[in-house]
Every structure is written in C-alpha cells, then in structure tokens.
Amino acid sequence: MTDGPFRNAALSSRWKQYGKDLVSDAASAEERTTQACHSMIGDVDVSAISSTLGAIKAHAEHPQMDLDVISSMETLFESCPKSPLTDTLQKHLIANLRDQMPLDTALDEALPSTVSDWIGMTKNRLDEECIRARDIGDMNVDDYRKGIVRNAETFAGVSLNALCEALTTGDKRAFKQAHQKKTGVDEGPDE
C-alpha cells in the first residue's frame, strides 16, 4: 500500500485502509465503523477467545462443588491461549466474582466491559497513529483534524453487542459481508 496517512505505520493492511477511509470524503461513517470492527476482529484470535468464553459458560452451566470459583477461573485462564483481550476479560471476570456475583452473571457483565475497554484502547491507538502521521508529514493538518473527529465518531458508533456476539460465536467474518465495497456505478457514500 503506497498511499494513505498510515502508509508508514506498523499496522495491518486493514488498519491502513481504515486510515485512508478516515480522510476520504468518499467513505461514509457507516463504512468507517464497519472497517474499524473488521480490523478489530482481525487483530485477535477469535476462535481462541470464543473457546475460552465457551469453557467459562460450560463451567457456569454445570456448577460443581466449587469451593473457590475464583481459583477455578484462574486455572481455566492459565490453560487458555494468552492475549491482551483475554487478560482484560480475566481481570473483569475475577473482579466481578470477588463482588460475590454468580459466575454466569459475572461473565455477562465482564464481556461487555472487556469489549468496551478494547474499543477505547483501539480508538486511542488510532488517535496516536493520526498524531504520528501528522508529525512525520504523512497527514496534513486538515486531514489530521478530520481524522481525529471521524475516528471519535467511528468508535462512538461501534456496536458493543455486535463485537461481543462475534467473540462469543467465534465469527471472524462477522463484519466481512458488511465491509464489501459497493460496486455499482450509481452507488456512493450514504450521506
């Protein structure tokens, strides 16, 4: 990829496309949001997270004589693949369990909290990429301002429930269909 404000960034091609969409007036807010979700899902091992969530749900559905559910969950997380997202999920889940929540309720509250944190961290990371692109000259001041505003709008429009569903079901292609480019001659941005 040779153009776009993130061309020199250490980002995936999905995020570089998102950077191009940020400064392009041809991309709609909905297209940018879909691209952001598609990129976020592409950054994580969805099947590993889905299997971790499934193991927690299975444990909650078949309660054993667990004297210490916190230890059981810590053991479960130790046996699962590690990632920043699963670490955040573990922290939220354990905190909820320490607040004396039943496991299924603790998970129902931990997953949206985890995804909300993930959305916020990703938004901040893209803001930082905009700043870096401006500082090295890959983005002019007008595009920088536009990019920061549009990045905030994009992440404000991200569906927490859709990301939670994609992680729960293990659907890495959840946003792929919606991401497909419009190909008709008469189609343009929806504004």
Side-chain angles (χ1 to χ4, degrees), residues 18 28-38 40 115 119-120 123 149-163 175:
Y18 174 75
S28 70
E30 181 182 337
E31 289 170 326
R32 286 188 295 273
T33 300
T34 301
Q35 179 64 37
C37 292
H38 179 63
M40 288 176 71
V115 171
I119 291 168
K123 182 228 175 260
V149 168
R150 287 180 176 174
N151 194 49
E153 291 169 352
T154 297
F155 282 94
V158 168
S159 170
L160 182 78
N161 292 335
L163 282 173
F175 301 97

Side-chain angles (χ1 to χ4, degrees), residues 1 9 21 30 39 62 75 82 93 128 132-133 149 166-167 171-172 185 187-188 190:
M1 180 167 291
D21 291 347
E30 181 182 337
S39 300
H62 303 294
T75 301
K82 294 284 184 208
L93 182 66
E128 290 169 4
R132 192 189 67 70
V149 168
L167 293 176
D171 187 3
K172 190 167 185 83
V185 175
E187 295 188 35
D190 302 326

Side-chain angles (χ1 to χ4, degrees), residues 88 92 96 107-118 160 164:
T88 304
H92 282 290
N96 290 346
L107 179 59
D108 288 345
E109 291 188 17
L111 182 58
S113 296
T114 300
V115 171
S116 181
D117 287 355
W118 182 31
L160 182 78
C164 287

Side-chain angles (χ1 to χ4, degrees), residues 48 51-52 55 75-82 86:
S51 69
T52 300
T75 301
L76 186 145
F77 275 99
E78 287 173 11
S79 67
C80 294
K82 294 284 184 208
T86 57

Side-chain angles (χ1 to χ4, degrees), residues 40-78:
M40 288 176 71
I41 289 295
D43 285 349
V44 297
D45 185 350
V46 176
S47 61
I49 293 167
S50 176
S51 69
T52 300
L53 292 170
I56 296 167
K57 285 182 182 184
H59 193 87
E61 289 171 2
H62 303 294
Q64 302 162 355
M65 293 292 286
D66 237 347
L67 298 176
D68 187 3
V69 70
I70 293 172
S71 291
S72 296
M73 288 300 101
E74 288 174 341
T75 301
L76 186 145
F77 275 99
E78 287 173 11

